[in-house]
Amino acid sequence: MFTRFRRKRINPVLRDLLQETHLSVNDFIYPLFARSGEGIKDEVGSMPGVYQMSIDEVVKECDVLKDLGIRSIILFGIPDTKDSVGSDAMCEHGIIAETVRAVKAAHPDMFVVTDLCFCEYTDHGHCGVLDPVLETVDNDITLDNLAKQAIIHAKAGVDMIAPSGMMDGMIQAIRKGLDSAGFENLPIMSYSTKFASAYYGPFRDVAESSPSFGDRRSYQMNPANRTEAIAESVADEQEGADILMVKPALAYMDVIRDVKNNTTLPLAVYNVSGEYSMFKMAAKAGVIDYDRVMMETLLGFKRAGADIIITYHAKEAAILLNK
Ligand code: PBG
Ligand code: ZN
C-alpha cells in the first residue's frame, strides 16, 4: 500500500502543509509601456493583453493593479523622437520622467521601477552611443549617459532603477552618479545576467526598439555560458547592485539557481515577452490549460531561486492567487 512518499500526498491539507515553495502577489512586478498622447491604449498583436498606453491610461491602470494587490510596476518609454544618443531618455520632460511624475503624483503608494537603457530612444535601436569604427556600442560614453538618465529618473521620483543595457561597469557608474546627486537611498536592480535572446522579439514590437542593424551580441551574453553568467552577477554585486536579475527566465532555470547560490543579494527574474506570447498563442490554439501552465511556470521560477518575478502574467496570476 501507500508508503514513504505517497502517504503524505493523500490528504489535500497535508499536501498544502508540506508545500515547499509559495507564490504570492508580492512577488510580482508588472511591466507597462508609456507613450505620449491621451486616451491611448493600443494592444500589441504579438502580445495579447499588453498595451502601449498614454500616461493618463498608465495612471488609470495603476488603480486596476492596486485592486488586484499588485504594488509594483516597471516602466518602459516609447518616445516621440529618437536620435543617435537617445536624448529623450536624458531629458526631464522625456516620456519616462513625465510618466514617473504622473504615476507618483496619483499613486504615491505604487512602487515604481524604471528600465534604464537607450534602445527605445536611439534611432539605431542599440543600447547606447555607437562607436563609428567598431560599429557597436561605446561602453564608457554610454556609462556617462546612463548616470545622467538615472539622475533624471531619480529627480522625477522613481523608487528603484533597473539598468538593462549590459555595459561593463554600469552599476558602479550609476551608483556614483546617483550618490553624487544626493540619491544615496535609491536602490539599483541590475539586469546583471542578461542573455542575447530571441525571446525578446515581441517586446521589441511593443517598445519599438529593434536594432536597425546587427544584433546585441556584443553586449548581451551568449546563451551557452554558465560560468560567465555567474561572473556577471557577482561583478554587479561587487559594484554595488542591490538586487540582481537573470533574464530571460524559462530557458535559464539552471542559471537562476546558479546565481542564487553564488551571490547573497535578492534575485529577480524577467519572464520575458516571448515566454508570455508562447503561452498566449498555445492557449489560443487550445493546446494547453493556460492558467495551470502559467502558475506552474511562475512557481518554477520561485523554486529555481527567484525572489522577484517581472511578468506580463502578473494580473492574471493575481486574480487566481486572490481566489
Ligand atoms: C531593454 C530591454 C529589453 C527587454 C527589457 N529591457 C529588450 C532588449 O534587450 O532587446 C526585454 C523584455 C521582454 O522581452 O519582455 N534593453
Ligand atoms: Zn537596451
Side-chain angles (χ1 to χ4, degrees), residues 91-94 96-106 152 155-157:
C91 165
E92 62 176 314
H93 297 294
I96 278 296
E98 298 285 10
T99 307
V100 170
R101 272 192 295 273
V103 170
K104 290 304 291 185
I152 290 289
K155 284 184 174 159

Side-chain angles (χ1 to χ4, degrees), residues 18-262:
L18 298 177
Q19 179 163 330
E20 296 177 35
T21 309
H22 295 272
L23 195 60
S24 149
V25 70
N26 289 324
D27 301 329
F28 300 144
I29 301 178
Y30 187 63
L32 288 173
F33 299 87
R35 63 174 317 146
S36 65
E38 239 188 87
I40 296 172
K41 191 174 174 186
D42 292 338
E43 193 170 27
V44 182
S46 53
M47 293 186 77
V50 174
Y51 304 82
Q52 292 185 346
M53 293 179 193
S54 51
I55 297 175
D56 56 317
E57 292 291 332
V58 170
V59 169
K60 269 198 245 167
E61 181 70 8
C62 289
D63 280 315
V64 177
L65 295 172
K66 288 197 296 188
D67 284 344
L68 290 170
I70 297 165
R71 298 181 294 167
S72 178
I73 57 173
I74 181 163
L75 290 173
F76 296 90
I78 303 144
D80 284 337
T81 52
K82 304 186 185 220
D83 60 23
S84 64
V85 293
S87 305
D88 189 88
M90 295 180 282
C91 165
E92 62 176 314
H93 297 294
I95 182 67
I96 278 296
E98 298 285 10
T99 307
V100 170
R101 272 192 295 273
V103 170
K104 290 304 291 185
H107 304 282
D109 54 343
M110 181 58 88
F111 189 79
V112 178
V113 185
T114 47
D115 180 269
L116 203 80
C117 201
F118 286 103
C119 45
E120 292 124 73
Y121 305 93
T122 51
D123 48 18
H124 46 73
H126 280 284
C127 300
V129 179
L130 291 183
D131 176 324
V133 179
L134 291 174
E135 291 194 338
T136 179
V137 176
D138 182 306
N139 196 82
D140 293 4
I141 297 173
T142 301
L143 290 185
D144 294 339
N145 288 355
L146 281 169
K148 282 182 204 156
Q149 191 184 2
I151 292 165
I152 290 289
H153 293 194
K155 284 184 174 159
V158 77
D159 296 301
M160 181 159 77
I161 57 170
S164 66
M166 289 294 283
M167 294 301 119
D168 278 346
M170 69 177 183
I171 300 306
Q172 190 177 41
I174 292 166
R175 186 72 271 161
K176 235 175 100 187
L178 287 172
D179 291 353
S180 63
F183 296 105
E184 296 92 342
N185 285 322
L186 188 66
I188 302 174
M189 175 169 72
S190 178
Y191 286 68
S192 52
T193 295
K194 177 174 174 180
F195 293 93
S197 172
Y199 281 96
Y200 307 150
F203 171 95
R204 293 178 188 170
D205 295 340
V206 189
E208 301 178 8
S209 63
S210 291
S212 61
F213 67 91
D215 55 42
R216 302 207 203 290
R217 281 185 288 187
S218 74
Y219 37 104
Q220 298 178 350
M221 275 197 59
N222 181 341
N225 294 357
R226 187 173 182 177
T227 308
E228 187 187 1
I230 299 169
E232 276 277 11
S233 278
V234 167
D236 282 7
E237 179 170 33
Q238 287 164 351
E239 285 183 35
D242 299 288
I243 300 172
L244 302 170
M245 193 193 300
V246 173
K247 176 188 171 193
L250 207 43
Y252 300 89
M253 291 288 210
D254 57 328
V255 174
I256 297 170
R257 175 48 59 189
D258 280 339
V259 170
K260 188 66 190 168
N261 287 352
N262 286 282

